[in-house]
Amino acid sequence: MSSDEFTAQELRDLFRKCCGFVKRNGYPNMEKIEYLYRCKPQDYWDDIRYFNNNLMETYIKDDNGHSENLINGEIDGLFFSGRLCGSNLKLPNSSPFGNIRMDIKSYLILNPNKHNFYFADFYCNKKLHYVTIVVCVNNSDADDYCQDNLIKLNKFANPFIKAEQIDGRRHNFYINNDIWVEIFYTEDINLNGKEFTRIRATGKGSSNFDGVPNNKRCKICNL
């Protein structure tokens, strides 16, 4: 690792800042979710469907967030969100990342019997704050890396995204809606059977190739 990456103590300090931020109004604002989603332009989905046998493959983590982030350029994954929008708490009907929203059942990515959750970053670009949570399949290469370098979360009791056991096999899932929770999932996903919805693209309608660096002037999310 390079010397400009977070030390273990610095990552713990950032984690504490993030926990303080999401609990600033008392208890964290956790909302029940049934789906996670990923918004991309139509061309992105067409390329996967026609040229990659419907398999959405992971790619190396870009430079989004803190430059000291311990997963930048280190592990592969796919970004998802679970954030609900509006007073009726629905899935978004617009996105700056593209005009097609792919929805996936939460349990396929968050099943606590199969996955581990890790805190990786807390940052903002302007005013909106983000927390990056890495989700790995138990005992995978990515899981081994995160186990050694990130902060492992209690899957049933953390203020970002968590599971609630209903019985031996079923779970409910909850996400903090007061911060933008980015879920970086470290496995490929087959698009067969997934749900797609056309939405309104805002801004340029696609993500930045290298990611967006954090706002280094913010006193809330910088050390």
Side-chain angles (χ1 to χ4, degrees):
M1 290 183 186
S2 63
S3 59
D4 61 349
E5 291 177 331
F6 285 133
T7 65
Q9 182 59 54
E10 287 171 337
L11 187 62
R12 286 193 293 269
D13 291 343
L14 190 66
F15 175 68
R16 280 193 286 269
K17 272 181 167 277
C18 191
C19 289
F21 177 78
V22 298
K23 295 178 181 178
R24 64 195 183 281
N25 297 320
Y27 292 103
N29 176 24
M30 307 298 288
E31 299 289 350
K32 185 178 178 180
I33 55 170
E34 295 184 12
Y35 292 92
L36 299 178
Y37 57 87
R38 178 173 170 84
C39 300
K40 287 290 183 180
Q42 180 74 61
D43 289 349
Y44 172 87
W45 303 112
D46 288 345
D47 284 346
I48 294 172
R49 183 174 293 111
Y50 298 128
F51 302 113
N52 210 42
N53 201 29
N54 239 16
L55 184 67
M56 181 167 56
E57 295 182 309
T58 61
Y59 53 86
I60 195 72
K61 169 68 172 65
D62 60 20
D63 293 330
N64 207 53
H66 280 96
S67 59
E68 302 91 342
N69 189 327
L70 289 160
I71 62 173
N72 288 357
E74 295 289 348
I75 60 174
D76 293 357
L78 297 162
F79 274 113
F80 289 86
S81 179
R83 185 179 179 87
L84 302 175
C85 301
S87 58
N88 56 359
L89 296 175
K90 299 292 186 182
L91 298 179
N93 58 17
S94 66
S95 171
F97 302 118
N99 66 331
I100 302 294
R101 190 190 74 224
M102 187 272 279
D103 304 335
I104 182 171
K105 287 285 190 179
S106 299
Y107 71 85
L108 293 174
I109 288 179
L110 301 176
N111 182 350
N113 297 327
K114 183 180 178 181
H115 300 100
N116 287 319
F117 303 174
Y118 297 90
F119 170 86
D121 202 3
F122 171 47
Y123 70 96
C124 71
N125 301 131
K126 292 182 179 178
K127 290 185 177 181
L128 183 63
H129 279 83
Y130 300 82
V131 58
T132 306
I133 305 299
V134 182
V135 178
C136 306
V137 170
N138 297 342
N139 302 316
S140 63
D141 289 345
D143 192 48
D144 290 343
Y145 177 85
C146 293
Q147 190 93 241
D148 291 340
N149 294 284
L150 303 183
I151 294 175
K152 190 173 184 178
L153 299 174
N154 183 328
K155 292 172 279 191
F156 300 96
N158 74 78
F160 311 119
I161 190 160
K162 66 179 183 177
E164 175 189 64
Q165 189 163 347
I166 302 173
D167 54 34
R169 299 179 63 183
R170 296 183 302 152
H171 299 84
N172 288 327
F173 299 97
Y174 297 85
I175 197 166
N176 192 315
N177 224 42
D178 283 345
I179 189 171
W180 198 291
V181 180
E182 298 181 317
I183 297 131
F184 192 64
Y185 186 59
T186 59
E187 298 292 321
D188 299 340
I189 291 181
N190 193 300
L191 298 185
N192 291 333
K194 304 303 183 293
E195 300 179 30
F196 293 86
T197 302
R198 185 171 295 277
I199 59 175
R200 179 171 55 88
T202 59
K204 70 174 187 175
S206 63
S207 56
N208 291 312
F209 178 74
D210 292 326
V212 180
N214 72 305
N215 172 13
K216 294 176 172 52
R217 296 182 178 181
C218 180
K219 296 181 179 179
I220 295 173
C221 59
N222 283 289
L223 298 177

